[in-house]
Amino acid sequence: MKTLCLRACGRAAVTLALLITCVFLGLHLTGDPATLILGFEATPDDVAAFKLARGLDLPMYAQYWRYLGDLMHLDLGKSYVTGLPAIEVFLSAMGPTLHLMLPTALVTLLIGIPLGIVAALHSGTRLDRGLLFVSVLGFAVPNFFFGLLLILFFSVWLGWLPTYGNASWLHYIMPIMTIATSEAAIFSRMARSAMLEGLNLPCVQAAYMRGISRQRVIWFHAFPNALISLLTVAGFFLGTLTAGAVITENIFSWPGIGRLLVVSVAKRDIPVVQLIVLGVGCSLIVANLLVDLLSLVVNPKLRRTTR
Amino acid sequence: MSQPLLQIQSFSVSFGAFRVLNNIHLTLAPGESLALVGESGSGKSVLARSIIGCAGAGARQEGTVLFRETNLTSASDQTLTSLRGGKISLMLQDALSALNPLYTIGRQMMETIALKHPAFAKGAGRAWKGFGRSDKPALRAMALELLHEAGMDRAEECFHAFPHQLSGGMCQRVMLALALAGEPDLLIADEPTTALDVVVQKQILHRLTQNVRARRAALLLISHDLHLVSEFTDRIAVLYAGQIMETGPTRKLLANPRHPYTRGLLEAMPKANTPKGSLRPIAGEVPAPWERDQGCLFRGRCPKALAGCALPPQEYVVENGWASFCGQLPHTTIPHAPSGGGPAYALCS
Ligand SMILES: Nc1ncnc2c1ncn2[C@@H]1O[C@H](COP(=O)(O)OP(=O)(O)OP(=O)(O)O)[C@@H](O)[C@H]1O
Ligand SMILES: [Mg+2]
């Protein structure tokens, strides 16, 4: 058990190292940061001074080494726009994003899993096809369009919900609805196939053939097996939520990561952009690590090697 | 003689246009053991599963399966659920995959006992809840006893183990214990020992037949091992491509098979004293679904096939309770035995 946990953590660490290196290479190999940041109108003197100030005149490996050292101290430079440390800018945007994403994830799971299970239990019937239609619709309508529709309906016509910012719980309703609709649409399909897979497992069929009642077989035998295969998908899905918020945060002017990313890219605020890329990557890695550890806890079969 | 326990009459099962079982007639009296043998794919497992109403998704059934007075092909879900694992229990072919990987053996056994053992199964709401904390000690004791009964040496250890921690033989014993939990009157064992070594095979079958005999229950043993079958059963039915080829008393029939297919099966079986190179596998292959017609399905591979074999095979009664469905046998020797005097296991036709 302990070795397996360590192995999962090791995998996460390797991924993290790869991510960090990729971000470094991405920023340093795809173009000269000096021209990228100062713009093409900069004089050679300006460029030289800029390079000297940031150690860009050093050889590549030395720069990489410095970059790692800075990362260790969470010193990722200052935002060019506000002059505040990039990490502060990043963290102040992370809070609102997490506040939005956690309830969204919850709503998504609470809608997606039951819908998927209902579809699986009625697979092949009209209800199943109806749910398929609904989820295709939910997935096919783009977030920016659905968000605008919601604003039009709830804010402009009915005047019930605020459209801007994150001041009260009322502000949360429309962004959550926007993201959760499309995510739940996808997730319900995954839940459906996981549940069907669970129902068709030989051991579930065997339990039914032992004369255990249908309801009990569904909920005590098929469902736990389905949940385990859903767990892996859920990790990936949770990790991408932060990244997927870009559009929705911009529609609702949510002061979160997605909005910060758009603003920073527009203003070429490289340190902040770099930190956001690292942060989103980390959230994926952490989500996957949590899922790995959780499946070690719930799935006895995975614990096999150490018992 | 007493009333038959199980009567399968004109029973057919099709998946789409594929007739997997064709016009099966079988009877089983209480206390009797019947072997069902045949090549892989002949429909043995489908027959076993259709008896408990689980033929599979998309299966179309014709004919009747009578268990005592209940017609299982038209019984309600509720009746079938209470019969399954109770009066009729089925030991599945693949033991390891028949156990839920998420629960310990003990938990699965306690669940089955709580729902299926006559002493526990009465409680209302049980079908959903399974068992409560207060039942646990009794259920546990019962589970350990059943595991012992099934010949498990270290029952206590096994009780706490997860399925993947058990060997194939242990899994089969667990399956046997689970099948015995409902004290069945009819035990259907679908190749209970196929993947095991000979010693363990015999141990498990001994346990199984002992238990069945002690309770005067009936046994339907599915296998393709003719030696094993001749040791453990009274009667045998030979299935080929979903049709019964020959049925009769096991030893007598195997000593002197009348149907060319049974003979072919026997010649393809190795014995301890078989000289090297004398095994003769049956040439050819089982006919594909679209090649199956009303005639004898074995005629494509039969060394004695004649033009007449394209007609539906007639029943040839070798002696009372022994019938062979081959068109080449003389059909006049013994008239059908009148009911009353003969054994109850005569083929229904
Ligand atoms: N659910 C199903 N849908 C379609 N065809 C099926 C289904 N179940 C079984 N069959 C077909 O029925 C035939 C008989 O299968 P069955 O499993 O009963 O064979 P068997 O005699 O038990 O063979 P084995 O000795 O390998 O266990 C096979 O050709 C199989 O393809
Ligand atoms: Mg089979």
Side-chain angles (χ1 to χ4, degrees), chain B residues 13-16 18-21 36-49 54-59 93 190-191 194 222-224 239 242 286 289 292:
Chain B
V13 175
S14 338
F15 291 100
F18 181 12
R19 214 154 218 242
V20 174
L21 289 177
L36 189 62
V37 300
E39 270 170 278
S40 196
S42 52
K44 306 182 295 290
S45 298
V46 172
L47 181 59
R49 287 202 308 266
C54 293
Q93 191 165 0
D190 190 354
E191 299 189 28
T194 298
I222 296 176
S223 176
H224 40 229
L239 198 64
V286 183
R292 298 190 182 182

Side-chain angles (χ1 to χ4, degrees), chain B residues 174-199:
Chain B
V174 172
M175 291 317 287
L176 176 57
L178 282 170
L180 297 180
E183 307 206 323
D185 290 340
L186 169 62
L187 176 62
I188 308 169
D190 190 354
E191 299 189 28
T193 57
T194 298
L196 307 175
D197 65 82
V198 186
V199 181

